[in-house]
Amino acid sequence: MTGKLRLGVNIDHVATIRNARGGDHPDPIRAAELAAAAGADGITAHLREDRRHIGDRDIERLMERIALPLNLEMAATDEMLSIALRHRPHAACIVPERREERTTEGGIDAAGQIDRLRPIVGALGEAGIRVSLFIEADRKQLDAAKALAAPVVELHTGTYCEAWHSGADAFERERRRIAEGASYGRALGLEIHAGHGLSFDTVKPVARLSEVAELNIGHFLIGEAIFIGLSDSVREMRRLMDEARAEAETSA
């Protein structure tokens, strides 16, 4: 796969800051508008069971006001399926969710939950919603995504990003694992996305992978926005992604 690498900006943690104080500020919809103007190709939002950041009204407002595609991250529950079918976002990414976790801690075990996931994936697809599964870069999980007829997978890059702090050898091992997973998944006919923990330091090796069509990045961009502003944060990530993809195409 060649061409522009898409950037989905996750606005969850703008809502986290808002919810820490209550009220309406800062507004995640304004963040989505700024991200769009700065070069984002889509907006991602995770409506969690406990509504710790994005809320139901945020999803309604995003659907009403944002022209970019909305990628709704959701747990595989009847409640979230009902919400997705009511709003019909462009895409829905099924993620694991535990109430006690700070953030999503890894990929969903698609291989171990095929019977549970099949009707949810089917219902979303029948509604015209592009379905993705947030999984580890593991052949068993990729095979399960194919068996479930999910057209897209998002590879969990959290462990890869953590390896940045563990030295060059560990980082390279994790990079190869992501690369091999992306190659295998693409060979199965899946569209490959990646995300979780990506930063200015870690994005380029993943962006160079020709099999990857989209990156979803949130926490780092919102955190960096404290220092340089959200628009500049998104623009710099966009620049690094484009630069890495151009380098990969030149060397191919």
Side-chain angles (χ1 to χ4, degrees):
M1 181 175 295
T2 58
K4 181 182 178 182
L5 175 62
R6 299 192 301 269
L7 170 60
V9 173
N10 187 312
I11 58 168
D12 288 353
H13 293 298
V14 176
T16 303
I17 297 168
R18 175 196 62 191
N19 297 349
R21 186 74 177 262
D24 299 325
H25 182 77
D27 184 2
I29 282 65
R30 183 182 177 195
E33 292 169 342
L34 287 170
D41 301 292
I43 299 299
T44 293
H46 183 179
L47 185 65
R48 294 184 68 104
E49 178 190 14
D50 59 11
R51 308 306 199 265
R52 71 176 64 167
H53 33 60
I54 291 294
D56 297 72
R57 180 58 182 150
D58 295 323
I59 299 300
E60 294 172 7
R61 294 172 65 221
L62 284 166
M63 292 296 297
E64 291 168 359
R65 291 176 50 181
I66 302 302
L68 291 182
L70 175 63
N71 176 35
L72 175 65
E73 291 186 341
M74 54 176 275
T77 66
D78 291 340
E79 179 197 21
M80 291 302 153
L81 176 61
S82 176
I83 290 169
L85 294 178
R86 181 165 71 251
H87 292 294
R88 300 203 176 200
H90 171 75
C93 182
I94 301 176
V95 302
E97 187 174 313
R98 294 190 302 116
R99 186 178 290 272
E100 64 271 22
E101 68 188 358
R102 289 186 180 182
T103 185
T104 304
E105 295 175 346
I108 194 168
D109 181 14
Q113 302 181 64
I114 285 182
D115 290 342
R116 177 184 173 214
L117 293 173
R118 192 182 303 280
I120 296 173
V121 172
L124 292 168
E126 288 172 8
I129 301 168
R130 187 196 71 191
V131 185
S132 62
L133 299 178
F134 184 69
I135 61 172
E136 298 296 332
D138 176 86
R139 289 194 174 204
K140 181 174 67 173
Q141 301 300 334
L142 289 157
D143 287 338
K146 180 68 174 179
L148 285 163
V152 180
V153 295
E154 181 172 335
L155 302 181
H156 173 240
T157 54
T159 306
Y160 156 81
C161 292
E162 290 169 5
W164 170 258
H165 304 287
S166 300
D169 290 345
F171 186 66
E172 175 58 18
R173 282 196 300 271
E174 285 299 315
R175 188 205 65 80
R176 284 199 304 269
R177 184 177 65 85
I178 298 296
E180 290 166 3
S183 179
Y184 182 75
R186 192 73 193 110
L188 291 176
L190 300 168
E191 182 173 311
I192 309 299
H193 299 178
H196 199 85
L198 292 169
S199 69
F200 294 157
D201 290 328
T202 59
V203 71
K204 291 187 79 171
V206 178
R208 289 189 186 102
L209 300 176
S210 63
E211 298 87 356
V212 177
E214 179 174 308
L215 300 180
N216 284 294
I217 307 174
H219 183 267
F220 176 82
L221 292 174
I222 304 307
E224 193 67 11
I226 295 170
F227 306 106
I228 66 173
L230 182 57
S231 296
D232 284 348
S233 179
V234 173
R235 287 193 191 100
E236 177 62 7
M237 187 63 76
R238 173 81 270 166
R239 184 190 70 79
L240 291 169
M241 289 168 55
D242 291 345
E243 184 175 88
R245 183 53 57 95
E247 291 167 355
E249 292 179 351
T250 299
S251 62

